[in-house]
Amino acid sequence: MTLNVLGISSSPRERSNSDLLLREALRGAESAGAATEYITLRDHEFGPCVACGACALTGRCRFDDAFQGIFEKMVAADRLIFATPVFFAAVCAQGKRLIDRCQCLWSRKYLLAEPLFPDGPRDRRALVIAVGGSRGRKVFDGIRLTIGYWFDSLEVTHFANLFVNRMDAAGDVVKHPRAMAEAYRLGAALADADRPVPKAPTDVELFEGF
Ligand SMILES: Cc1cc2nc3c(=O)[nH]c(=O)nc-3n(C[C@H](O)[C@H](O)[C@H](O)COP(=O)(O)O)c2cc1C
């Protein structure tokens, strides 16, 4: 069975470091036989969650904008790769907007007890790629926490994190073969259906002047 891997890039800038790592991870997934799809939130206009409460009654977001198409792809995917820059020690606003719109999934699961997959849980796994400019290691803590709650609602197992810091100028990551190689390797591993489901995410943290 061919696994379907969806890559979501959330950085607002061109030649973004997290985006370049995401593309490398998708190449890795393809090398393992997966079918891949790349989307960048730069191409999709949708608003933030406005806490209207409609999804608490229906389990669905009532706003008919570009979020709906991305949502369908996220639900259909066997594997997800989410890439974000670190902005003030958090997921960037563009990525957070996508995450917040998934409140409909939280409502579905915790308020309505309506399963996302009525035929039973699926083996879905996700890789997170985050890039920061500073030397601080704690800047990834907030991302880790937010992603944990998001993946719980999305019903996807957190497979691994690739965290890279001291990377500031756009495109600089291509000068760091180790970061690119890790992205490729993790993408391939994510798409390896024979690997057991991980109990906890593997952390690959490139914090030094590599
Ligand atoms: C608004 C803003 C906030 C940022 N906040 C942080 C931060 O808290 N910690 C950090 O390490 N880097 C921070 N950075 C630096 C970016 O994470 C860094 O430039 C990264 O390479 C951007 O990734 P991208 O190229 O994928 O967009 C910030 C950059 C911007 C524009």
Side-chain angles (χ1 to χ4, degrees), residues 129-194:
I129 295 171
V131 180
S134 73
R135 289 164 186 265
R137 293 178 178 229
K138 288 193 163 188
V139 294
F140 299 98
D141 290 356
I143 291 177
R144 217 188 278 278
L145 199 58
T146 300
I147 292 287
Y149 286 109
W150 185 38
F151 285 174
D152 175 66
S153 291
L154 259 182
E155 300 203 14
V156 63
T157 301
H158 195 166
F159 167 76
N161 294 309
L162 174 58
F163 292 152
V164 181
N165 73 359
R166 300 175 72 174
M167 195 69 63
D168 225 356
D172 259 7
V173 75
V174 296
K175 296 181 206 153
H176 294 274
R178 187 158 161 228
M180 299 298 274
E182 286 294 345
Y184 187 93
R185 182 183 70 76
L186 286 169
L190 179 73
D192 178 356
D194 295 332

Side-chain angles (χ1 to χ4, degrees), residues 24-186:
E24 203 57 14
L26 288 172
R27 283 202 328 115
E30 278 164 21
S31 77
T36 64
E37 181 174 0
Y38 163 89
I39 61 174
T40 168
L41 299 184
R42 283 155 48 103
D43 292 343
H44 298 271
E45 286 282 326
F46 60 92
C49 174
V50 294
C52 66
C55 69
L57 303 174
T58 64
R60 279 155 191 81
C61 181
R62 73 183 173 94
F63 291 100
D64 190 16
D65 57 16
F67 166 74
Q68 300 294 352
I70 301 173
F71 178 76
E72 273 175 31
K73 288 180 196 294
M74 288 194 299
V75 172
D78 299 303
R79 302 287 187 267
L80 192 67
I81 310 177
F82 177 74
T84 182
V86 176
F87 281 3
F88 282 90
V91 171
C92 70
Q94 291 77 359
K96 188 60 165 49
R97 195 171 44 185
L98 176 69
I99 293 171
D100 289 352
R101 287 287 295 275
C102 292
Q103 174 68 3
C104 53
L105 287 178
W106 186 91
S107 295
R108 206 167 160 152
K109 185 169 180 177
Y110 292 106
L111 299 179
L112 305 172
E114 192 185 303
L116 180 57
F117 303 111
D119 297 335
R122 285 175 41 200
D123 174 9
R124 286 162 34 92
R125 306 179 196 182
L127 166 66
V128 174
I129 295 171
V131 180
S134 73
R135 289 164 186 265
R137 293 178 178 229
K138 288 193 163 188
V139 294
F140 299 98
D141 290 356
I143 291 177
R144 217 188 278 278
L145 199 58
T146 300
I147 292 287
Y149 286 109
W150 185 38
F151 285 174
D152 175 66
S153 291
L154 259 182
E155 300 203 14
V156 63
T157 301
H158 195 166
F159 167 76
N161 294 309
L162 174 58
F163 292 152
V164 181
N165 73 359
R166 300 175 72 174
M167 195 69 63
D168 225 356
D172 259 7
V173 75
V174 296
K175 296 181 206 153
H176 294 274
R178 187 158 161 228
M180 299 298 274
E182 286 294 345
Y184 187 93
R185 182 183 70 76
L186 286 169

